[in-house]
Short mmCIF file of all heavy atoms in Angstrom, two decimals:
data_model
loop_
_atom_site.label_atom_id
_atom_site.label_comp_id
_atom_site.label_asym_id
_atom_site.label_seq_id
_atom_site.Cartn_x
_atom_site.Cartn_y
_atom_site.Cartn_z
N ASN Z 10 -15.71 -3.81 -19.39
CA ASN Z 10 -15.81 -5.14 -18.72
C ASN Z 10 -14.75 -5.97 -19.35
O ASN Z 10 -14.40 -5.93 -20.44
CB ASN Z 10 -17.16 -5.74 -19.06
CG ASN Z 10 -17.41 -6.97 -18.12
OD1 ASN Z 10 -16.85 -7.17 -17.13
ND2 ASN Z 10 -18.44 -7.79 -18.54
N ASN Z 11 -14.15 -6.83 -18.48
CA ASN Z 11 -13.18 -7.88 -18.75
C ASN Z 11 -11.70 -7.29 -19.10
O ASN Z 11 -10.95 -8.00 -19.66
CB ASN Z 11 -13.66 -8.84 -19.88
CG ASN Z 11 -14.93 -9.58 -19.75
OD1 ASN Z 11 -14.96 -10.21 -18.59
ND2 ASN Z 11 -15.77 -9.67 -20.58
N TYR Z 12 -11.61 -6.03 -18.73
CA TYR Z 12 -10.28 -5.46 -18.90
C TYR Z 12 -9.53 -5.37 -17.60
O TYR Z 12 -10.08 -4.84 -16.63
CB TYR Z 12 -10.40 -4.11 -19.55
CG TYR Z 12 -10.63 -4.04 -21.03
CD1 TYR Z 12 -11.85 -4.19 -21.60
CD2 TYR Z 12 -9.54 -3.96 -21.84
CE1 TYR Z 12 -12.04 -4.20 -23.01
CE2 TYR Z 12 -9.68 -4.01 -23.25
CZ TYR Z 12 -10.92 -4.08 -23.79
OH TYR Z 12 -11.00 -4.06 -25.12
N CYS Z 13 -8.27 -5.84 -17.67
CA CYS Z 13 -7.30 -5.61 -16.54
C CYS Z 13 -6.77 -4.11 -16.85
O CYS Z 13 -6.27 -3.83 -18.05
CB CYS Z 13 -6.28 -6.58 -16.54
SG CYS Z 13 -5.02 -6.29 -15.33
N MET Z 14 -6.73 -3.26 -15.94
CA MET Z 14 -6.22 -1.92 -16.11
C MET Z 14 -4.96 -1.71 -15.24
O MET Z 14 -4.89 -2.16 -14.07
CB MET Z 14 -7.30 -0.88 -15.59
CG MET Z 14 -8.61 -0.92 -16.31
SD MET Z 14 -8.51 -0.54 -18.08
CE MET Z 14 -7.97 1.16 -17.98
N GLY Z 15 -3.94 -1.21 -15.83
CA GLY Z 15 -2.63 -1.04 -15.24
C GLY Z 15 -2.18 0.41 -15.30
O GLY Z 15 -2.56 1.19 -16.14
N TRP Z 16 -1.26 0.61 -14.35
CA TRP Z 16 -0.49 1.85 -14.44
C TRP Z 16 0.99 1.50 -14.40
O TRP Z 16 1.50 0.64 -13.68
CB TRP Z 16 -0.68 2.74 -13.05
CG TRP Z 16 -2.02 3.37 -13.07
CD1 TRP Z 16 -3.19 3.00 -12.37
CD2 TRP Z 16 -2.29 4.61 -13.65
NE1 TRP Z 16 -4.19 3.98 -12.58
CE2 TRP Z 16 -3.72 4.93 -13.36
CE3 TRP Z 16 -1.57 5.56 -14.47
CZ2 TRP Z 16 -4.34 6.04 -13.83
CZ3 TRP Z 16 -2.27 6.73 -14.85
CH2 TRP Z 16 -3.59 7.03 -14.66
N PHE Z 17 1.67 2.18 -15.28
CA PHE Z 17 3.01 2.05 -15.62
C PHE Z 17 3.74 3.51 -15.45
O PHE Z 17 3.07 4.37 -15.58
CB PHE Z 17 3.35 1.42 -16.90
CG PHE Z 17 3.03 -0.01 -16.98
CD1 PHE Z 17 1.63 -0.35 -17.22
CD2 PHE Z 17 3.87 -1.06 -16.94
CE1 PHE Z 17 1.26 -1.62 -17.30
CE2 PHE Z 17 3.49 -2.36 -16.96
CZ PHE Z 17 2.13 -2.68 -17.22
N ARG Z 18 5.03 3.47 -15.36
CA ARG Z 18 5.76 4.76 -15.30
C ARG Z 18 7.21 4.57 -15.99
O ARG Z 18 7.73 3.44 -16.01
CB ARG Z 18 6.00 5.22 -13.85
CG ARG Z 18 6.80 4.43 -12.97
CD ARG Z 18 6.79 5.01 -11.49
NE ARG Z 18 7.70 4.27 -10.59
CZ ARG Z 18 7.80 4.48 -9.27
NH1 ARG Z 18 6.94 5.38 -8.73
NH2 ARG Z 18 8.60 3.80 -8.65
N GLN Z 19 7.61 5.65 -16.55
CA GLN Z 19 8.85 5.59 -17.17
C GLN Z 19 9.59 6.90 -16.87
O GLN Z 19 9.11 7.97 -17.19
CB GLN Z 19 8.64 5.48 -18.72
CG GLN Z 19 9.97 5.32 -19.47
CD GLN Z 19 9.67 4.91 -20.88
OE1 GLN Z 19 8.60 5.04 -21.36
NE2 GLN Z 19 10.66 4.40 -21.59
N ALA Z 20 10.76 6.85 -16.26
CA ALA Z 20 11.61 7.90 -15.82
C ALA Z 20 12.61 8.06 -17.12
O ALA Z 20 12.95 7.16 -17.84
CB ALA Z 20 12.38 7.64 -14.52
N PRO Z 21 13.11 9.22 -17.20
CA PRO Z 21 14.12 9.57 -18.32
C PRO Z 21 15.25 8.51 -18.20
O PRO Z 21 15.95 8.25 -17.23
CB PRO Z 21 14.60 10.95 -17.92
CG PRO Z 21 13.47 11.53 -17.25
CD PRO Z 21 12.94 10.52 -16.41
N GLY Z 22 15.62 7.90 -19.35
CA GLY Z 22 16.63 6.95 -19.52
C GLY Z 22 16.38 5.61 -18.91
O GLY Z 22 17.25 4.76 -18.95
N LYS Z 23 15.13 5.35 -18.45
CA LYS Z 23 14.85 4.08 -17.97
C LYS Z 23 13.78 3.42 -18.71
O LYS Z 23 13.04 4.02 -19.48
CB LYS Z 23 14.48 4.23 -16.42
CG LYS Z 23 15.58 4.79 -15.58
CD LYS Z 23 15.16 4.77 -14.12
CE LYS Z 23 16.27 5.23 -13.18
NZ LYS Z 23 15.86 5.28 -11.75
N GLU Z 24 13.59 2.02 -18.49
CA GLU Z 24 12.38 1.39 -19.05
C GLU Z 24 11.15 1.63 -18.35
O GLU Z 24 11.12 2.01 -17.28
CB GLU Z 24 12.91 -0.21 -19.12
CG GLU Z 24 14.07 -0.61 -19.87
CD GLU Z 24 13.89 -0.43 -21.36
OE1 GLU Z 24 12.80 -0.68 -21.76
OE2 GLU Z 24 14.87 0.00 -21.99
N ARG Z 25 10.16 1.37 -19.09
CA ARG Z 25 8.81 1.49 -18.58
C ARG Z 25 8.50 0.39 -17.63
O ARG Z 25 8.82 -0.85 -18.02
CB ARG Z 25 7.81 1.44 -19.62
CG ARG Z 25 6.38 1.83 -19.17
CD ARG Z 25 5.47 2.15 -20.39
NE ARG Z 25 5.93 3.16 -21.32
CZ ARG Z 25 5.28 3.62 -22.26
NH1 ARG Z 25 4.13 3.17 -22.59
NH2 ARG Z 25 5.77 4.53 -23.12
N GLU Z 26 8.08 0.79 -16.42
CA GLU Z 26 7.99 -0.29 -15.34
C GLU Z 26 6.62 -0.28 -14.85
O GLU Z 26 5.80 0.67 -14.71
CB GLU Z 26 9.08 0.02 -14.24
CG GLU Z 26 8.73 1.30 -13.33
CD GLU Z 26 9.53 1.47 -12.24
OE1 GLU Z 26 10.44 0.56 -12.01
OE2 GLU Z 26 9.51 2.54 -11.54
N PHE Z 27 6.24 -1.58 -14.30
CA PHE Z 27 4.95 -1.73 -13.72
C PHE Z 27 4.81 -1.04 -12.46
O PHE Z 27 5.70 -1.08 -11.64
CB PHE Z 27 4.77 -3.23 -13.53
CG PHE Z 27 3.47 -3.62 -12.77
CD1 PHE Z 27 2.21 -3.71 -13.34
CD2 PHE Z 27 3.67 -3.93 -11.39
CE1 PHE Z 27 1.13 -4.18 -12.68
CE2 PHE Z 27 2.41 -4.37 -10.70
CZ PHE Z 27 1.20 -4.39 -11.33
N VAL Z 28 3.64 -0.51 -12.25
CA VAL Z 28 3.31 0.29 -11.03
C VAL Z 28 2.24 -0.44 -10.23
O VAL Z 28 2.33 -0.89 -9.07
CB VAL Z 28 3.00 1.63 -11.26
CG1 VAL Z 28 2.48 2.44 -9.93
CG2 VAL Z 28 4.19 2.45 -11.85
N ALA Z 29 1.04 -0.66 -10.88
CA ALA Z 29 -0.16 -1.31 -10.16
C ALA Z 29 -0.99 -1.76 -11.35
O ALA Z 29 -1.08 -1.23 -12.43
CB ALA Z 29 -0.69 -0.30 -9.25
N ALA Z 30 -1.96 -2.69 -10.90
CA ALA Z 30 -2.98 -3.12 -11.81
C ALA Z 30 -4.08 -3.71 -11.08
O ALA Z 30 -3.98 -4.16 -9.86
CB ALA Z 30 -2.48 -4.23 -12.79
N VAL Z 31 -5.25 -3.58 -11.71
CA VAL Z 31 -6.50 -4.11 -11.08
C VAL Z 31 -7.36 -4.73 -12.15
O VAL Z 31 -7.54 -4.19 -13.28
CB VAL Z 31 -7.36 -2.91 -10.37
CG1 VAL Z 31 -7.66 -1.74 -11.36
CG2 VAL Z 31 -8.73 -3.46 -9.74
N THR Z 32 -7.91 -5.95 -11.88
CA THR Z 32 -8.80 -6.65 -12.82
C THR Z 32 -10.15 -6.21 -12.56
O THR Z 32 -10.58 -5.59 -11.58
CB THR Z 32 -8.68 -8.13 -12.56
OG1 THR Z 32 -9.21 -8.51 -11.27
CG2 THR Z 32 -7.27 -8.63 -12.63
N TYR Z 33 -11.04 -6.47 -13.61
CA TYR Z 33 -12.42 -6.04 -13.48
C TYR Z 33 -13.27 -7.06 -12.68
O TYR Z 33 -13.89 -6.76 -11.77
CB TYR Z 33 -13.09 -6.04 -14.92
CG TYR Z 33 -14.46 -5.69 -14.90
CD1 TYR Z 33 -14.83 -4.17 -14.94
CD2 TYR Z 33 -15.51 -6.55 -14.87
CE1 TYR Z 33 -16.12 -3.78 -14.94
CE2 TYR Z 33 -16.86 -6.05 -14.89
CZ TYR Z 33 -17.11 -4.74 -14.90
OH TYR Z 33 -18.51 -4.38 -14.79
N ARG Z 34 -13.08 -8.38 -13.11
CA ARG Z 34 -13.77 -9.41 -12.23
C ARG Z 34 -12.83 -9.93 -11.10
O ARG Z 34 -11.67 -10.23 -11.29
CB ARG Z 34 -14.13 -10.54 -13.19
CG ARG Z 34 -15.07 -10.26 -14.27
CD ARG Z 34 -15.36 -11.61 -15.12
NE ARG Z 34 -16.01 -12.56 -14.21
CZ ARG Z 34 -16.27 -13.85 -14.60
NH1 ARG Z 34 -15.79 -14.23 -15.91
NH2 ARG Z 34 -16.83 -14.65 -13.80
N GLY Z 35 -13.49 -9.81 -9.88
CA GLY Z 35 -12.78 -10.32 -8.71
C GLY Z 35 -11.96 -9.20 -7.89
O GLY Z 35 -11.49 -9.40 -6.97
N SER Z 36 -11.86 -8.02 -8.69
CA SER Z 36 -11.09 -6.94 -8.08
C SER Z 36 -9.72 -7.26 -7.59
O SER Z 36 -9.24 -6.75 -6.53
CB SER Z 36 -11.96 -6.29 -7.06
OG SER Z 36 -13.13 -5.80 -7.54
N ARG Z 37 -9.03 -8.17 -8.34
CA ARG Z 37 -7.66 -8.45 -7.89
C ARG Z 37 -6.63 -7.34 -8.18
O ARG Z 37 -6.83 -6.79 -9.36
CB ARG Z 37 -7.10 -9.76 -8.56
CG ARG Z 37 -7.95 -11.05 -8.25
CD ARG Z 37 -7.37 -12.22 -8.94
NE ARG Z 37 -8.20 -13.47 -8.61
CZ ARG Z 37 -7.94 -14.56 -9.05
NH1 ARG Z 37 -6.84 -14.89 -9.78
NH2 ARG Z 37 -8.68 -15.68 -8.62
N ILE Z 38 -5.80 -7.11 -7.29
CA ILE Z 38 -4.97 -5.98 -7.38
C ILE Z 38 -3.55 -6.33 -6.90
O ILE Z 38 -3.40 -7.15 -6.17
CB ILE Z 38 -5.45 -4.71 -6.40
CG1 ILE Z 38 -6.82 -4.31 -6.79
CG2 ILE Z 38 -4.39 -3.73 -6.15
CD1 ILE Z 38 -7.42 -3.34 -5.85
N ASP Z 39 -2.59 -5.66 -7.60
CA ASP Z 39 -1.19 -5.83 -7.12
C ASP Z 39 -0.39 -4.65 -7.46
O ASP Z 39 -0.81 -3.90 -8.22
CB ASP Z 39 -0.53 -7.11 -7.93
CG ASP Z 39 0.63 -7.63 -7.09
OD1 ASP Z 39 0.88 -7.12 -5.96
OD2 ASP Z 39 1.26 -8.54 -7.59
N TYR Z 40 0.65 -4.47 -6.78
CA TYR Z 40 1.53 -3.21 -6.90
C TYR Z 40 2.97 -3.61 -7.00
O TYR Z 40 3.44 -4.69 -6.43
CB TYR Z 40 1.38 -2.40 -5.61
CG TYR Z 40 -0.04 -2.01 -5.29
CD1 TYR Z 40 -0.92 -2.64 -4.49
CD2 TYR Z 40 -0.43 -0.66 -5.84
CE1 TYR Z 40 -2.18 -2.14 -4.27
CE2 TYR Z 40 -1.78 -0.21 -5.67
CZ TYR Z 40 -2.58 -1.02 -4.72
OH TYR Z 40 -3.91 -0.63 -4.53
N ALA Z 41 3.65 -2.79 -7.51
CA ALA Z 41 5.19 -2.84 -7.52
C ALA Z 41 5.72 -2.69 -6.07
O ALA Z 41 5.12 -1.92 -5.29
CB ALA Z 41 5.91 -1.86 -8.48
N ASP Z 42 6.69 -3.38 -5.67
CA ASP Z 42 7.26 -3.27 -4.23
C ASP Z 42 7.52 -1.86 -3.91
O ASP Z 42 7.45 -1.54 -2.85
CB ASP Z 42 8.42 -4.16 -4.16
CG ASP Z 42 8.11 -5.67 -4.09
OD1 ASP Z 42 6.99 -6.09 -3.88
OD2 ASP Z 42 9.00 -6.44 -4.31
N SER Z 43 7.98 -1.15 -4.85
CA SER Z 43 8.46 0.18 -4.72
C SER Z 43 7.39 1.18 -4.20
O SER Z 43 7.60 2.29 -3.68
CB SER Z 43 9.13 0.80 -5.87
OG SER Z 43 8.36 0.87 -6.99
#
């Protein structure tokens, strides 16, 4: 409860980048444009 959960990815030689996330309350979701 009360945790936002996210997915990130990191390709070789690149910075770790945001992919997607979902909140616990309200089920708010967002994604990287890619």
